[in-house]
Every structure is written in C-alpha cells, then in structure tokens.
Amino acid sequence: MTSLRSDARRVRDARRGRACATPVHGGGAVATVGAVIVTTVAVLLALGSPPPVVLVAALVILLVGAVAARRVTANLLAGLGLLIVRPYQRGERVRLHTPDVAAVLDAEVVRIGLLNTTLATTTGVETVPNTRLLRTPPDRPSSR
C-alpha cells in the first residue's frame, strides 16, 4: 500500500512540474567545443594569423565538435522541432512504443525540453530523449 501511495505521489508531483528527473546533459560537450574554439582563436590571433585563417579554423573545430557530439546535436535539433511544431502539449496522454524492450509506455507529458521530454507513468517519472519521440511517434490513447 505504501508503494502505491509513493508512486501516486511521484506522478502527482511530476504533473505539477516539481519532479526532477535526470535530464540528458549536453552542456559538457557544448562547453568543451566552445572552450577549444576560444582557445584556438586566441592562440591564432596571438601568433598573428590573418582573420580568414582564424575563421576557417574556428569553423573546422565547430564542425568536428558537432560530429563528435552528434547525439547531443540530434537531441537538440529534435527538441527545437518539438518546441516549434508543438505536436504534444503538457498534460497530454501519449503511448510510446519501445522496441528495445518490446513494451508500450502509457504516460503523460510533463515537460518538453531542448534535449529530452519528461513523462509521468504509473510507475514513476521517465525521461526520454527527443530523438526517440521523433523516431517512434507516440500514439494518443483512445479515451474509453
């Protein structure tokens, strides 16, 4: 009985937006690429390199960083798409098919962020990368 109450409390808190699910963090990769670009630009300028060389070097580092952090980049682009198009609203019920575990997840959308979406289920709070929402679009459960 206590387990059911705690599960119900987690779902209720998630619906209120107070639940703190573990998000997909992308700040580390972005900060690292930014630091490398700034350092490279500073060194090239200190060595007296012409501005076109500095610009090309910065663009090459940015491109390499985006490829290296492709998972973060993909989730960021998917999140921007979800936030612009808004196919799902906060509080909406969705059914997400998860082929890796051959299961169906019935959940309520709690938060749509830049990198991930937080869903409240009957067993707790789940955080799903935004690329997963775009890869396997959730069904809207019938209201029976």
Side-chain angles (χ1 to χ4, degrees):
M1 187 70 163
T2 305
S3 172
L4 290 176
R5 283 187 184 158
S6 63
D7 287 345
R9 183 176 297 129
R10 272 197 308 259
V11 171
R12 186 179 62 242
D13 289 345
R15 287 180 184 155
R16 291 182 183 158
R18 293 185 301 178
C20 182
T22 305
V24 176
H25 293 289
V30 173
T32 302
V33 171
V36 170
I37 289 173
V38 168
T39 304
T40 303
V41 168
V43 168
L44 289 175
L45 289 175
L47 293 174
S49 298
V53 171
V54 174
L55 180 64
V56 168
L59 290 175
V60 167
I61 293 169
L62 182 65
L63 181 64
V64 169
V67 170
R70 67 183 178 273
R71 187 175 298 156
V72 173
T73 304
N75 280 320
L76 180 65
L77 292 175
L80 287 172
L82 288 173
L83 291 171
I84 291 170
V85 176
R86 296 196 181 276
Y88 313 108
Q89 299 297 323
R90 185 175 178 197
E92 183 175 357
R93 302 282 308 165
V94 294
R95 180 175 291 138
L96 180 66
H97 301 280
T98 54
D100 52 335
V101 292
V104 175
L105 179 68
D106 286 322
E108 181 178 321
V109 176
V110 175
R111 181 189 66 83
I112 299 174
L114 282 177
L115 298 175
N116 56 46
T117 298
T118 305
L119 304 171
T121 67
T122 56
T123 59
V125 178
E126 297 287 332
T127 304
V128 179
N130 286 332
T131 53
R132 182 168 214 176
L133 283 178
L134 292 181
R135 251 189 323 214
T136 57
D139 298 330
R140 272 118 175 131
S142 59
S143 56
R144 291 185 211 176

